[in-house]
Amino acid sequence: MNILVVGSGGREHALCWGIAKSPLCRRLVCTPGNAGISRIAECAAIHADDINGIVGLARRERFDLVVVGPEAPLVAGLVDRLKAEGIKAFGPTARAAELEGSKGFMKDLCARYGIPTAAYGRFDEPDAAKEYIHRHGAPIVVKADGLAAGKGVMVCRNENEAFAAIDHIMIEGAFGAAGNQVIIEDLLLGEEASFFALVHGTQVLPLASAQDHKPAFDGDHGPNTGGMGAYSPAPIVTPEMTEGILSRIVQPTVAALVTEGRPYTGVLYAGVMITRDGPKVLEFNVRFGDPECQPLIMRLKSDLLTALLACVDGRLNELALEWYDDAALVVVMATQGYPGPYAKGSVIRGLDRAGAIDNVTLFHAGTKTANGQVVADGGRVLGVGARGKTIADAQRLAYRAVDLVDWPEGFCRRDIGWRALGR
Ligand code: AMP
Ligand code: GLY
């Protein structure tokens, strides 16, 4: 089969790595890809947001399946356009992708169908939003309604911070039209976990559990990022917890989407807070998490492409996924300055040495090739992944590989996995 993967991050490198191993895969192309992906797939220089460009390529080159990595093209309707051309696509339609594209839509859906989540208000006027904050008091969480590249959520310790967040989103327009509305919600306390399932309508096949590390620095200090490291499995997600998340959150949500005429196909990612009252949903994403996707795919023993096809074709009930018992852990290396402003173009050395260690896999994110060298081309740049018998083993191996990467302009957290190790 001829497969097209859309995107350029560590997630897409992991997807390409899994798909390339499939006996079903004959040709693999990625738009736009990165330096690491270019070693295992053909890269076509079309941006992931260029819907017309991607549809044109898919039509010309007759791909059998298009796998869409990031949320923006899903929310913009790439899957709808591909389907209209008769091309199979992995990912939800725009109407189903609204689950991530509009936090207000997601919260209202949860409220209508009794899906556990934080109490909230939804506002399109800054004064009314501030009134609500004043009435409820802090701490409180302020969110831009639309897509904001992971930066649209502010956990505010006091009223002034919350007012500043409203001004930032609604008056200064930090996220453009994505901030025309805000969601204000109660702060949930507990431990976070990422829960993934393949979904087709009401068919749900859960994947292995994973845990992310959002803050930039060790000890969970510093600003929130897209994710600085992840591991799988997540010990907090016990079989009973999985059952609870499935029966109280995931199954009711996909059934609600069917009822609302927005049936979901693709991977559904529930960010959940394990609270004292059980799991509550923080957010839904309509794609694989990044970096969580990387350790997940490292642990998948079954053929990834077969699983993606079963999802698109509605045959999830016939599929049983096998996983390695090993743990997998990925340390993200980012350019200094990230998630704030950072420079591009620094040279990264030592990648071949690090990647040559047994059970280590290097996933590229923001990299490109220039004059035969790999250079940094983004905020999050590498995912250094390792498999081991335990999370402690995987962690040791991952940091051994990190230490072979020669990149003075980069940084990483040194404590990825601490929650699991502390259990
Ligand atoms: P979201 O993109 O909605 O998942 O928010 C990003 C991050 O903000 C989450 O991963 C949590 O760490 C935090 N967060 C969001 N909503 C809440 C909440 N209601 N209570 C506590 N933390 C939250
Ligand atoms: N790692 C969090 C996300 O992909 O949104």
Side-chain angles (χ1 to χ4, degrees):
M1 300 179 88
N2 295 342
I3 313 295
L4 176 65
V5 172
V6 175
S8 60
R11 166 181 50 216
E12 287 76 21
H13 193 176
L15 287 167
C16 286
W17 183 78
I19 292 169
K21 288 195 295 192
S22 171
L24 298 177
C25 178
R26 195 166 57 90
R27 179 176 179 222
L28 180 60
V29 179
C30 186
T31 52
N34 60 39
I37 293 174
S38 71
R39 292 186 173 192
I40 55 172
E42 298 167 42
C43 290
I46 301 172
H47 194 273
D49 292 339
D50 179 357
I51 308 281
N52 288 331
I54 294 167
V55 173
L57 176 76
R59 197 190 313 131
R60 275 194 312 278
E61 315 244 333
R62 300 172 180 283
F63 286 101
D64 299 295
L65 177 71
V66 180
V67 179
V68 186
E71 61 277 16
L74 292 168
V75 171
L78 175 56
V79 168
D80 308 66
R81 289 280 309 277
L82 290 167
K83 277 187 168 171
E85 298 281 345
I87 301 165
K88 263 189 202 183
F90 179 85
T93 60
R95 275 170 58 78
E98 228 184 307
L99 206 53
E100 177 168 359
S102 165
K103 290 186 189 290
F105 168 78
M106 173 270 186
K107 297 293 288 189
D108 289 352
L109 190 85
C110 288
R112 269 204 304 287
Y113 291 86
I115 296 155
T117 187
Y120 72 107
R122 187 177 180 181
F123 302 95
D124 45 25
E125 293 294 339
D127 288 342
K130 288 180 181 174
E131 218 299 287
Y132 180 92
I133 290 166
H134 185 62
R135 231 170 339 114
H136 281 254
I140 200 158
V141 183
V142 177
K143 305 183 173 186
D145 177 68
L147 293 184
K151 295 182 185 140
V153 174
M154 277 144 267
V155 176
C156 305
R157 282 165 301 185
N158 55 51
E159 214 173 280
N160 283 340
E161 274 185 25
F163 287 170
I166 297 293
D167 290 344
H168 187 59
I169 297 172
M170 302 193 91
I171 294 174
E172 292 151 30
F175 309 110
N180 288 349
Q181 270 201 13
V182 291
I183 311 303
I184 302 173
E185 59 180 49
D186 289 359
L187 183 80
L188 296 178
L189 296 177
E191 189 172 332
E192 267 183 83
S194 306
F195 191 88
F196 298 92
L198 296 178
V199 173
H200 184 106
T202 54
Q203 295 176 19
V204 174
L205 183 69
L207 303 179
S209 60
Q211 214 162 18
D212 187 13
H213 299 63
K214 295 210 174 178
F217 308 128
D218 285 20
D220 279 343
H221 294 296
N224 261 355
T225 68
M228 293 301 291
Y231 54 86
S232 171
I236 191 170
V237 185
T238 58
E240 300 76 60
M241 188 60 70
T242 298
E243 202 35 60
I245 294 170
L246 274 173
S247 62
R248 292 168 62 179
I249 294 175
V250 177
Q251 276 153 351
T253 301
V254 301
L257 287 171
V258 169
T259 306
E260 303 265 326
R262 303 168 184 255
Y264 192 96
T265 301
V267 63
L268 180 63
Y269 159 178
V272 295
M273 188 71 92
I274 313 292
T275 72
R276 280 185 5 201
D277 309 326
K280 295 191 178 178
V281 58
L282 290 170
E283 63 168 340
F284 282 112
N285 295 307
V286 297
R287 46 160 178 98
F288 277 106
D290 196 9
E292 296 97 312
C293 181
Q294 302 169 44
L296 276 184
I297 291 182
M298 287 183 80
R299 286 190 61 221
L300 182 65
K301 198 175 191 178
S302 302
D303 183 51
L304 175 64
L305 183 51
T306 300
L308 300 178
L309 286 166
C311 180
V312 174
D313 295 339
R315 291 183 283 100
L316 287 175
N317 295 340
E318 299 163 19
L319 193 72
L321 289 179
E322 283 191 84
W323 301 88
Y324 291 106
D325 290 331
D326 286 6
L329 182 140
V330 168
V331 177
V332 169
M333 300 184 77
T335 309
Q336 281 175 31
Y338 173 78
Y342 54 81
K344 291 186 178 181
S346 51
V347 177
I348 307 167
R349 297 188 175 84
L351 291 172
D352 288 334
R353 248 183 326 155
I357 302 176
D358 267 353
N359 291 320
V360 166
T361 307
L362 295 193
F363 297 107
H364 288 226
T367 65
K368 67 174 187 186
T369 311
N371 305 319
Q373 290 178 305
V374 174
V375 301
D377 195 39
R380 291 188 295 169
V381 170
L382 292 171
V384 180
R387 256 176 55 191
K389 265 204 153 16
T390 63
I391 288 181
D393 291 340
Q395 187 197 50
R396 247 189 316 277
L397 196 57
Y399 281 112
R400 216 173 97 208
V402 163
D403 290 336
L404 291 176
V405 175
D406 176 9
W407 181 34
E409 294 82 359
F411 78 99
C412 67
R413 282 180 60 158
R414 301 295 311 193
D415 64 347
I416 299 305
W418 69 269
R419 274 201 189 80
L421 296 176
R423 262 170 194 272

